[in-house]
Amino acid sequence: MMAGQTPTQPEQPDRGAAPQKRADIQLLRALAAGTVALLHLLYAFANNLGDRLTLGFDPARASQGAVMLFFMISGYVMILSSARLFGETQGQRAFWTRRLVRIMPPYWIATGALALIFLTVMPRPIDAERVALSLFLIPDLASQAEGDTPYRSLPFLWPGWTLLYELVCYFLLGALMGWGRRAAVLGASVGLVALVVAGLGIDKEAAASHPIAWTLTRPVLLMFLPGMALRLVHEKGWEAPLAARRLALIAATLVVALVPKPEFVSAMGFDYLAWCGVPAILVAFAVVSGPLWLPAPWLTTPVVTRLGDMSYALYLLHVPIAWFWLWFYAKLPFFKPGPLDYFVTVSVVALVGSWLFYVAIERPMTAALNRRFAPQS
């Protein structure tokens, strides 16, 4: 999925060579997915088994910041991995097909796995209408208006709420891909800004009445823009001085310390972006704006690459795995599950299960679907 040269080399669009993965992007993908998964496993699952564990920081900010990092990475990677498609006759179809093949089938499989668990080993009521809407990422606020996230549409597999915003960006960029890269990126950026501006006319109180319009105009869409801009700058061979990258990390720390939590996190307004989006931008800038140093690269680079590869599987599958492990772990003899041992074991199971899913299902399935449906250059 990732392309480009190593961080120490000038990066130019490659129209002939096969894409190669970048360790810095893979590191950010692994960091983002791992943060979301581990915090969910701890606070949403393990802490229901006994005395509550805590990591000493706001888990909501960390997990939301990780999601913002996902969006910025996605903006960067969309430009990076599609360099050969801009301006091509079949570019639009190829881009949309590859993006849909990349994100939707794994999401459907993970959603089906969660539904199967709720129908069998961990019986829970299932709203068939909500599941149907979720499969196509159609926003629905009515089923959660009284919950903790009244202004964010959560699908049946709740981490999947981010995928709709990915699709919006894919649609805009793909629709303009025939214009050439500069025009397509500019046009998509204008489109994202226009959606957010349109959303200024929708009040929070009207969110439940207009779930689609509300959801599709959240300021969170702006998180794709710095990723795309950063990629365009990097292609010219620009690198930030080491001092600037260090200052970015210091600035991210100051933002975390000084910017208060929004009153309505689930509304994902501009205060939300200041709270968790700005630190994500600064961290991404610090990591990808120059050579990435890894200790013992002969060992750490392959590990980081593998973790980045399986990051999407981990992001989707940690929820059904956590539910399954609640059932299975309780069946083991000789001890009663507690929050700490459950958290440790389910984390290992989630990592192993996600890697196996990536190797045995996600990767070959994606390749096969691309061969079948995506235009070949």
Side-chain angles (χ1 to χ4, degrees), residues 240-253:
L242 180 59
R245 298 166 68 192
R246 290 173 175 171
L247 284 175
L249 292 177
I250 294 173
T253 304

Side-chain angles (χ1 to χ4, degrees), residues 132-194:
L133 292 173
S134 297
L135 290 175
F136 297 97
L137 300 175
I138 299 174
D140 173 28
L141 293 169
S143 62
Q144 59 208 45
E146 303 301 325
D148 296 331
T149 57
Y151 305 116
R152 177 183 299 159
S153 178
L154 295 180
F156 175 69
L157 180 67
W158 33 275
W161 70 266
T162 62
L163 302 184
L164 179 60
Y165 295 101
E166 297 273 355
L167 291 181
V168 170
C169 195
Y170 295 162
F171 173 79
L172 291 173
L173 189 64
L176 304 173
M177 188 153 285
W179 293 8
R181 188 176 56 174
R182 290 181 183 274
V185 172
L186 178 60
S189 301
V190 171
L192 292 172
V193 172

Side-chain angles (χ1 to χ4, degrees), residues 38-163:
L38 293 178
L39 290 177
H40 284 169
L41 294 176
L42 177 60
Y43 287 93
F45 291 94
N47 277 350
N48 293 316
L49 297 177
D51 296 335
R52 295 184 64 82
L53 305 173
T54 181
L55 298 178
F57 55 82
D58 183 1
R61 186 175 209 160
S63 62
Q64 295 302 308
V67 170
M68 297 304 99
L69 191 57
F70 261 133
F71 287 155
M72 186 171 174
I73 295 169
S74 184
Y76 192 103
V77 168
M78 274 189 285
I79 309 303
L80 181 67
S81 63
S82 303
R84 290 174 286 181
L85 300 179
F86 290 101
E88 297 295 331
T89 304
Q90 296 285 341
Q92 181 184 88
R93 180 187 163 196
F95 177 78
W96 279 341
T97 301
R98 293 175 187 178
R99 294 298 91 201
L100 288 173
V101 162
R102 174 71 180 91
I103 69 170
M104 294 308 293
Y107 168 69
W108 288 331
I109 292 173
T111 298
L114 183 60
L116 181 63
I117 289 170
F118 284 175
L119 290 171
T120 56
V121 297
M122 295 288 287
R124 292 176 63 86
I126 293 180
D127 185 336
E129 180 180 359
R130 184 187 180 197
V131 174
L133 292 173
S134 297
L135 290 175
F136 297 97
L137 300 175
I138 299 174
D140 173 28
L141 293 169
S143 62
Q144 59 208 45
E146 303 301 325
D148 296 331
T149 57
Y151 305 116
R152 177 183 299 159
S153 178
L154 295 180
F156 175 69
L157 180 67
W158 33 275
W161 70 266
T162 62
L163 302 184

Side-chain angles (χ1 to χ4, degrees), residues 226-284:
M228 292 193 291
L230 192 57
R231 174 57 195 170
L232 293 178
V233 170
H234 285 174
E235 286 183 353
K236 298 184 178 297
W238 177 85
E239 290 184 357
L242 180 59
R245 298 166 68 192
R246 290 173 175 171
L247 284 175
L249 292 177
I250 294 173
T253 304
L254 291 175
V255 171
V256 169
L258 298 177
V259 176
K261 186 175 183 177
E263 181 180 2
F264 301 104
V265 171
S266 62
M268 294 185 292
F270 291 102
D271 53 351
Y272 172 89
L273 292 186
W275 176 64
C276 66
V278 171
I281 293 172
L282 292 169
V283 169

Side-chain angles (χ1 to χ4, degrees), residues 199-207 214:
L200 297 177
I202 306 175
D203 192 79
K204 289 192 296 293
E205 283 66 31
W214 167 264

